[in-house]
Amino acid sequence: SQQGEEDPQALSIQEGENATMNCSYKTSINNLQWYRQNSGRGLVHLILIRSNEREKHSGRLRVTLDTSKKSSSLLITASRAADTASYFCAIITQGGSEKLVFGKGTKLTVNP
Amino acid sequence: GAGVSQTPSNKVTEKGKYVELRCDPISGHTALYWYRQSLGQGPEFLIYFQGTGAADDSGLPNDRFFAVRPEGSVSTLKIQRTERGDSAVYLCASSLIPGLLEVGTQYFGPGTRLTVL
């Protein structure tokens, strides 16, 4: 079963706008990660946030984590057409193995 | 250096046949993972190796699925008596030893698209 749930399932915006995707999960985590996937093939790691961190930045990406609400958000600022992809959150549960548990993803479309 | 590679990139087989999918991890990565992704879904965990041994095989759906990593590098996922429901993209990932700086960061290969007719 998949514990991460992304919201929304699909998002369509214009180039230059910001895109926000949310992720909720159910268990205690070691860390939470965001991945990007183009055309249903290889996943690219974007950012990892540990359970004791609240916010991380990487270029145009900003990730927040609220462990009390068991939720995370990914913000992509000044979006580009090349950002069009599916975005997944994945968790590593606390005390569990190193396996990633993924959500179903958000399909982002950035229109030029 | 080179990333994770998977072969073949596409595999079409008939129901009941046996298939092998291969994964070459990033050199020096001791952990190797297999995931399966169906259309419109996120990847689902199958099995994880630390070195040569399977540290967690709780995601293997049934005994038709088996994976090996005999020398702690290349891994092969083996599926016996394939069924149409096995059709999916099979993804492999590798990572450094858990517990070091990049704990939990998994680097994925391009996947093998398996189609069972």
Side-chain angles (χ1 to χ4, degrees):
Chain A
S1 64
Q2 295 181 304
Q3 293 199 31
E5 292 291 337
E6 287 91 342
D7 167 47
Q9 291 186 350
L11 179 61
S12 182
I13 59 173
Q14 295 299 123
E15 210 165 23
E17 294 180 339
N18 296 341
T20 299
M21 289 160 270
N22 302 297
C23 169
S24 61
Y25 56 92
K26 298 176 183 175
T27 61
S28 296
I29 63 170
N30 178 296
N31 65 62
L32 183 145
Q33 303 176 43
W34 285 91
Y35 284 83
R36 165 194 166 127
Q37 185 177 45
N38 289 82
S39 305
R41 295 305 286 261
L43 290 125
V44 175
H45 182 263
L46 296 176
I47 199 163
L48 179 155
I49 187 165
R50 292 181 170 80
S51 60
N52 60 352
E53 296 175 315
R54 292 296 166 257
E55 187 171 311
K56 275 187 102 166
H57 297 255
S58 177
R60 293 184 295 113
L61 306 180
R62 173 180 170 247
V63 168
T64 62
L65 178 64
D66 186 335
T67 52
S68 66
K69 294 182 180 177
K70 290 186 166 55
S71 67
S72 172
S73 67
L74 171 67
L75 168 68
I76 304 175
T77 60
S79 64
R80 305 166 182 167
D83 294 329
T84 295
S86 291
Y87 292 82
F88 294 90
C89 72
I91 61 173
I92 288 189
T93 58
Q94 197 171 64
S97 81
E98 293 293 314
K99 67 184 181 187
L100 288 167
V101 181
F102 285 85
K104 292 184 179 181
T106 292
K107 188 174 172 66
L108 173 67
T109 302
V110 182
N111 301 299
Chain B
V4 177
S5 62
Q6 292 186 245
T7 54
S9 56
N10 288 282
K11 176 70 177 178
V12 180
T13 191
E14 293 180 343
K15 180 175 178 294
K17 298 289 188 183
Y18 167 84
V19 296
E20 289 189 351
L21 312 178
R22 175 187 167 106
C23 172
D24 279 90
I26 293 171
S27 179
H29 281 193
T30 59
L32 184 146
Y33 312 78
W34 283 99
Y35 296 84
R36 175 169 75 171
Q37 186 175 23
S38 300
L39 195 62
Q41 302 292 314
E44 290 190 304
F45 170 77
L46 294 176
I47 186 169
Y48 147 55
F49 288 89
Q50 182 60 267
T52 60
D56 183 352
D57 64 358
S58 61
L60 294 177
N62 52 59
D63 62 5
R64 295 187 298 106
F65 288 75
F66 189 71
V68 295
R69 195 185 184 202
E71 297 177 357
S73 178
V74 170
S75 176
T76 305
L77 178 65
K78 307 179 181 193
I79 310 175
Q80 298 177 321
R81 304 183 303 280
T82 51
E83 300 177 357
R84 293 193 180 88
D86 298 335
S87 296
V89 175
Y90 289 79
L91 295 162
C92 177
S94 69
S95 71
L96 292 169
I97 300 172
L100 295 182
L101 184 64
E102 292 191 10
V103 60
T105 300
Q106 297 178 18
Y107 299 89
F108 282 79
T112 294
R113 185 179 300 279
L114 175 66
T115 303
V116 182
L117 301 176

